[in-house]
């Protein structure tokens, strides 16, 4: 399916957690949807209204060039998080981790550490799944066969995303049923 091939290409070019520069190209229905970003790729960037300031007058204008963190992939779209705090909602947080809890999590699970995690949710619309390990969770993307909810596997902590306080995992071995 061509749509999945494009999704895989976007994931390899713009992996979750990467910082990318893009230009705001459209703001459909200011205050209601979000804004669209040209990333210089075949795929379009999108910043959700929930991430942006409540007052659309505080949003970046069309033509503004900003740096973003890649949050997620959907067919034909890369969801983005503005790194400039002035263009973010003061109430939106991708996670509920305080700075102290985030530091404790990074200390407890340093990059390179291995964890055993269980698949808790599966999202077939964009081939994404969520795993839980201890009192933490992380979202991953899959290609090929979908994992099964309830399956467990070994994962390696490969990145800490400080702006969004998320952990990036990579499967260390096939998921077990």
């Amino acid at each position: 399916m061509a749509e999945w091939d494009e999704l895989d290409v976007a994931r390899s070019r713009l992996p979750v957690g990467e910082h990318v520069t893009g230009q705001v190209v459209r703001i459909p229905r200011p205050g209601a949807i979000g804004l669209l970003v040209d990333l210089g790729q075949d795929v379009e960037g999108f910043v959700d209204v929930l991430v942006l300031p409540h007052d659309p007058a505080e949003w970046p204008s069309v033509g503004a060039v900003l740096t973003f963190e890649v949050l997620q992939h959907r067919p034909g779209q890369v969801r983005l998080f503005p790194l400039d705090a002035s263009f973010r909602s003061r109430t939106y947080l991708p996670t509920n981790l305080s700075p102290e809890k985030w530091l404790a999590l990074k200390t407890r699970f340093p990059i390179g550490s291995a964890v055993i995690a269980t698949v808790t949710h599966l999202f077939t619309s964009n081939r994404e799944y969520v795993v839980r390990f201890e009192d933490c969770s992380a979202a991953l993307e899959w290609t090929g066969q979908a994992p099964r909810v309830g399956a467990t596997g070994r994962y390696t902590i490969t990145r800490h995303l400080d702006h969004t306080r998320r952990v990036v995992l990579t499967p260390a071995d096939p998921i077990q049923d």
Side-chain angles (χ1 to χ4, degrees):
M1 172 183 261
E3 185 176 87
W4 293 126
D5 293 341
E6 291 170 10
L7 184 65
D8 290 337
V9 169
R11 287 174 171 175
S12 68
R13 288 185 184 161
L14 303 164
V16 167
E18 284 298 302
H19 292 182
V20 297
T21 301
Q23 182 176 28
V24 176
V25 292
R26 209 169 86 206
I27 305 174
R29 298 179 49 214
I33 297 173
L35 51 91
L36 303 171
V37 178
D38 180 357
L39 299 170
Q41 304 277 334
D42 292 335
V43 66
E44 177 177 65
F46 175 73
V47 180
D48 192 281
V49 66
L50 297 174
V51 176
L52 296 164
H54 296 292
D55 181 356
E58 297 177 26
W59 291 13
S61 59
V62 170
V65 176
L66 304 168
T67 305
F68 303 91
E69 182 175 296
V70 174
L71 286 176
Q72 180 186 49
H73 298 91
R74 293 188 177 179
Q77 184 183 86
V78 175
R79 297 179 73 87
L80 303 169
F81 182 82
L83 295 183
D84 184 333
S86 67
F87 294 125
R88 293 196 308 256
S89 166
R90 288 153 198 57
T91 59
Y92 175 83
L93 281 177
T95 70
N96 61 356
L97 294 174
S98 67
E100 297 77 22
K101 287 183 179 180
W102 173 239
L103 182 58
L105 185 141
K106 290 186 349 178
T107 301
R108 190 171 56 171
F109 299 110
I111 293 173
S113 60
V115 297
I116 302 295
T118 303
V119 177
T120 60
H121 297 84
L122 192 67
F123 304 97
T124 57
S125 62
N126 66 337
R127 293 190 333 224
E128 190 174 270
Y129 65 106
V130 176
V131 296
R132 186 118 182 109
F133 57 102
E134 294 189 29
D135 59 346
C136 305
S137 61
L140 291 95
E141 301 165 329
W142 87 81
T143 299
Q145 186 172 346
R148 185 185 59 76
V149 171
T152 61
R154 281 182 2 105
Y155 296 83
T156 303
I157 308 282
T158 54
R159 288 184 77 181
H160 295 138
L161 306 179
D162 289 318
H163 286 92
T164 53
R165 298 183 189 152
R166 296 181 302 150
V167 174
V168 176
L169 301 177
T170 302
D173 56 28
I175 293 175
Q176 304 298 312
D177 286 327

